[in-house]
Amino acid sequence: MWAFWTSTLANVFLLLQFAMRFPAIHVSLSAAKQFQNETDRLALLEFKHQIYDDPFGVLNSWNHSQYHCQWEGVTCSTRHQRVVALTLMDRQLSGTISPHVGNLSFMRFIQLGENQFHGEIPQEFGRLFRLRVLNLLKIFIFHTNNLTGEIPSSIGNLSSLTTLALGYNNLEGNLPSEMGLLKKFAILTAGGNKLSGIIPASIFNCSAIIAISVPANSFHGNLPTNIGLTLPNLEGLYLGANKFYGNFPTSITNASGLEVLDLSRNKFEGQIPANLGDLTNLIVFDLYDNLFGNLFH
Ligand SMILES: *[C@@H]1O[C@H](CO)[C@@H](O)[C@H](O)[C@H]1NC(C)=O
Ligand SMILES: *[C@@H]1O[C@H](CO)[C@@H](O)[C@H](O)[C@H]1NC(C)=O
Ligand SMILES: *[C@@H]1O[C@H](CO)[C@@H](O)[C@H](O)[C@H]1NC(C)=O
Ligand SMILES: *[C@@H]1O[C@H](CO)[C@@H](O)[C@H](O)[C@H]1NC(C)=O
Ligand SMILES: *[C@@H]1O[C@H](CO)[C@@H](O)[C@H](O)[C@H]1NC(C)=O
Ligand SMILES: *[C@@H]1O[C@H](CO)[C@@H](O)[C@H](O)[C@H]1NC(C)=O
Ligand SMILES: *[C@@H]1O[C@H](CO)[C@@H](O)[C@H](O)[C@H]1NC(C)=O
């Protein structure tokens, strides 16, 4: 568990570091103005406009006397001065997420976890084709966003996306099958929502996937029998507290890097393969509260 989360978080921090490679801009304001992209600035102002509570005054720096690349939480690329990251985690911001964020077309990293955003995830996010990480999750603890509605199918347009973190909101409906179009998709965390339906087969077909974490939802259905072959890079599969059923996916032993397999509190049945020991990296193996008969044949 820890090894897995450490590596997941390491990925996130790696990306954060990546974002931070474009640090404060060392150009004079007048020089900066030549590069200043009005589209980005207006989109950021729209984002601010939809936030009605900011107890720490985080967005006070988002004012007209300050170049927008120097606003708190905003990171621009050094050369083109385009906004590439928006990182405002755990700032107790309340509001909705403006669809104008979809105009920040150079965006690679959005981290708005642990705030109190509510409302829906705008379809317009689907325009951020350079986006790698979309984190509206709490990963850690404390405050949780309260995003509602369905996950927009336009997520399938985010061809650079590696990480989608949407856990502990109030999202409902199905996972869009368009997610299966994302060739670089590695980490999906969406636990603690009201998501339902089956997990689209196309998602189990994304060979770059490292972790699927969707506990405490209402998903149902079987796991594909060939899951361990279609997801060879799988390290974590967290499916606890859903309504999955069917046989234990024996091919999972082919996913040799697997560290966490949590199928607890579902309705899986049948037999557990004897060659589980092939999974030498397995740290957490939780089958609690299912319908398995005799374990280990
Ligand atoms: C600002 O962004 C828009 C939209 O991406 C683009 O069309 C325009 O060329 C950019 N302007 C500058 C000065 O970079
Ligand atoms: C964002 O793009 C849409 C569609 O092109 C446009 O209508 C809107 O005015 C833009 N928003 C900003 C803040 O520039
Ligand atoms: C604008 O932001 C800067 C940087 O945080 C701050 O020093 C300045 O007081 C702000 N101006 C206004 C009018 O709030
Ligand atoms: C997503 O891509 C499809 C097909 O290219 C396009 O029709 C749709 O407008 C895109 N959605 C968004 C939100 O950009
Ligand atoms: C989350 O949003 C829903 C729907 O708007 C609302 O009923 C619920 O009380 C909210 N929960 C929290 C913790 O704010
Ligand atoms: C999964 O991928 C294979 C090979 O790329 C393809 O033939 C198949 O149609 C895909 N299945 C789904 C459900 O996307
Ligand atoms: C999957 O695992 C089985 C059982 O260990 C093995 O016989 C088979 O060759 C593996 N398949 C692949 C493609 O690695």
Side-chain angles (χ1 to χ4, degrees):
M1 175 82 142
W2 285 115
F4 169 67
W5 274 112
T6 311
S7 73
T8 303
L9 291 178
N11 279 332
V12 171
F13 284 119
L14 212 69
L15 286 151
L16 195 61
Q17 270 182 338
F18 158 83
M20 294 308 158
R21 269 218 310 256
F22 307 101
I25 309 300
H26 302 294
V27 282
S28 73
L29 202 56
S30 59
K33 278 218 160 73
Q34 294 172 12
F35 299 100
Q36 184 163 321
N37 193 296
E38 194 63 6
T39 305
D40 285 0
R41 199 176 65 88
L42 290 177
L44 290 170
L45 286 172
E46 290 292 340
F47 173 81
K48 177 179 176 177
H49 190 63
Q50 296 292 106
I51 292 172
Y52 59 78
D53 194 24
D54 174 14
F56 299 137
V58 172
L59 301 181
N60 289 350
S61 69
W62 291 37
N63 65 48
H64 290 289
S65 61
Q66 182 101 338
Y67 179 38
H68 67 268
C69 287
Q70 291 168 331
W71 291 352
E72 183 164 352
V74 175
T75 307
C76 292
S77 59
T78 328
R79 192 201 267 183
H80 297 295
Q81 301 285 292
R82 300 301 305 265
V83 174
V84 294
L86 186 58
T87 49
L88 291 167
M89 192 175 89
D90 190 18
R91 302 297 215 283
Q92 292 188 25
L93 300 173
S94 299
T96 57
I97 299 177
S98 167
H100 295 271
V101 170
N103 295 21
L104 295 164
S105 50
F106 280 70
M107 187 69 90
R108 296 180 190 180
F109 186 95
I110 295 181
Q111 162 60 293
L112 300 175
E114 294 180 67
N115 286 291
Q116 283 135 46
F117 286 102
H118 55 86
E120 303 200 359
I121 300 172
Q123 275 285 350
E124 285 78 358
F125 271 30
R127 295 164 60 184
L128 302 177
F129 64 94
R130 291 185 175 89
L131 195 67
R132 298 181 187 189
V133 177
L134 179 57
N135 184 344
L136 308 171
L137 152 89
K138 69 169 189 180
I139 285 192
F140 305 100
I141 22 176
F142 309 120
H143 303 287
T144 306
N145 290 320
N146 191 13
L147 299 171
T148 50
E150 303 197 5
I151 299 174
S153 58
S154 63
I155 241 124
N157 290 15
L158 303 177
S159 53
S160 303
L161 198 72
T162 65
T163 303
L164 183 64
L166 302 171
Y168 301 93
N169 282 289
N170 242 321
L171 298 169
E172 59 193 10
N174 301 346
L175 291 181
S177 60
E178 287 82 354
M179 278 186 187
L181 299 171
L182 304 174
K183 294 275 175 288
K184 297 176 180 166
F185 198 37
I187 298 175
L188 167 66
T189 68
N193 282 289
K194 295 175 181 161
L195 297 166
S196 59
I198 60 164
I199 294 189
S202 60
I203 293 179
F204 288 121
N205 218 11
C206 291
S207 59
I209 283 187
I210 294 171
I212 297 179
S213 176
V214 293
N217 280 291
S218 295
F219 289 112
H220 65 86
N222 293 292
L223 297 183
T225 50
N226 60 349
I227 185 172
L229 300 170
T230 57
L231 301 181
N233 300 306
L234 195 65
E235 291 178 18
L237 187 61
Y238 297 79
L239 304 179
N242 278 286
K243 297 170 179 166
F244 291 106
Y245 47 78
N247 288 329
F248 185 93
T250 48
S251 72
I252 204 84
T253 54
N254 290 81
S256 57
L258 195 69
E259 294 179 14
V260 178
L261 181 61
D262 176 7
L263 304 181
S264 65
R265 288 175 284 165
N266 282 289
K267 295 191 159 46
F268 287 109
E269 60 191 338
Q271 295 180 356
I272 317 293
N275 64 334
L276 263 187
D278 293 354
L279 293 173
T280 51
N281 295 302
L282 198 63
I283 302 164
V284 174
F285 179 61
D286 192 348
L287 302 185
Y288 171 74
D289 198 3
N290 276 286
L291 304 174
F292 291 113
N294 296 331
L295 293 183
F296 302 106
H297 279 252

